[in-house]
Amino acid sequence: MIPLYVLLCCVVVFGLLFTFIRQWRSETQHAQLHRKESEDAAEDTPLQDLSDWRPSDSIQRLKSSFVAADPAEVMERKRVEDELKRTCLNAFRRLGMSETNEERLGALQAISKLFEELESRSGSRAQYLSGSVVYCNAIVDCDGLDLLRECRDHVSDPSSALIAEQILERIVPLIWSQ
């Protein structure tokens, strides 16, 4: 024989289940009815006349930004980037060939100044990013990070080590972001 409390629990569970199913069916029927009403309303709305549609100014500006630039501008940008790369490579080669602390300090100061000029002379964010990409590529090409780490770790001159550390702190995030 089944105990009375088991029968009572079964009745309660079936009652809750029946209530849940009834509520769920009414909600789905209501949602289907609402969906059908919105579809009928959408069919009744007339189509908009698009014959006088004009693109906004922002779309025109966006389209004009994708138009090919003037060849003279492209050549000028390329010349500036090549000059920046050449200057950066020369500065790091000078650092690599330096033998005395004074030469090393001068080369590090020139590298730091070059980076500061890059930040200050860039007119726009795009120019700064383009210049920093060229700068970082030149650094990677001539093993500039190794030279800077060597100056930071093995130089007896504390001012050279400090400048090398400052340059590394600015350059490493740029290289990793690219």
Side-chain angles (χ1 to χ4, degrees):
M1 177 125 196
I2 301 175
L4 185 61
Y5 66 89
V6 172
L7 287 175
L8 185 60
C9 287
C10 289
V11 169
V12 169
V13 168
F14 283 120
L16 289 173
L17 186 62
F18 178 73
T19 305
F20 173 76
I21 291 173
R22 189 174 59 187
Q23 184 177 1
W24 175 73
R25 286 188 67 197
S26 70
E27 286 176 1
T28 55
Q29 287 174 349
H30 178 70
Q32 287 174 349
L33 181 63
H34 181 66
R35 189 178 318 122
K36 184 171 176 148
E37 288 173 357
S38 64
E39 287 173 359
D40 290 341
E43 289 176 4
D44 293 339
T45 58
L47 294 175
Q48 294 178 346
D49 181 26
L50 298 178
S51 61
D52 61 342
W53 181 81
R54 300 277 186 260
S56 68
D57 290 337
S58 62
I59 293 175
Q60 289 294 341
R61 283 192 302 269
L62 181 65
K63 285 172 66 177
S64 67
S65 69
F66 290 114
V67 175
D70 182 30
E73 288 179 32
V74 172
M75 293 301 292
E76 177 63 20
R77 279 190 231 147
K78 179 71 174 150
R79 186 192 63 74
V80 169
E81 288 177 0
D82 288 344
E83 181 183 332
L84 178 64
K85 182 175 183 176
R86 192 172 35 257
T87 307
C88 183
L89 285 171
N90 287 336
F92 275 95
R93 286 184 184 132
R94 191 173 129 209
L95 177 64
M97 294 172 34
S98 63
E99 295 176 1
T100 65
N101 285 341
E102 291 80 22
E103 289 176 350
R104 197 170 290 119
L105 181 61
L108 286 169
Q109 288 172 341
I111 291 168
S112 180
K113 184 179 179 188
L114 181 65
F115 192 75
E116 289 168 4
E117 287 176 1
L118 174 70
E119 291 175 340
S120 65
R121 75 174 174 181
S122 298
S124 67
R125 178 81 175 144
Q127 288 175 343
Y128 171 71
L129 287 175
S130 176
S132 64
V133 166
V134 170
Y135 190 83
C136 292
N137 286 341
I139 291 169
V140 170
D141 288 346
C142 66
D143 294 326
L145 289 176
D146 292 335
L147 291 171
L148 288 170
R149 287 188 193 118
E150 189 178 300
C151 287
R152 181 191 63 188
D153 296 337
H154 302 294
V155 173
S156 60
D157 185 19
S159 59
S160 295
L162 180 65
I163 294 173
E165 179 66 30
Q166 291 171 348
I167 295 170
L168 279 170
E169 287 174 357
R170 286 189 284 178
I171 290 175
V172 170
L174 279 176
I175 291 174
W176 281 104
S177 69
Q178 298 172 16

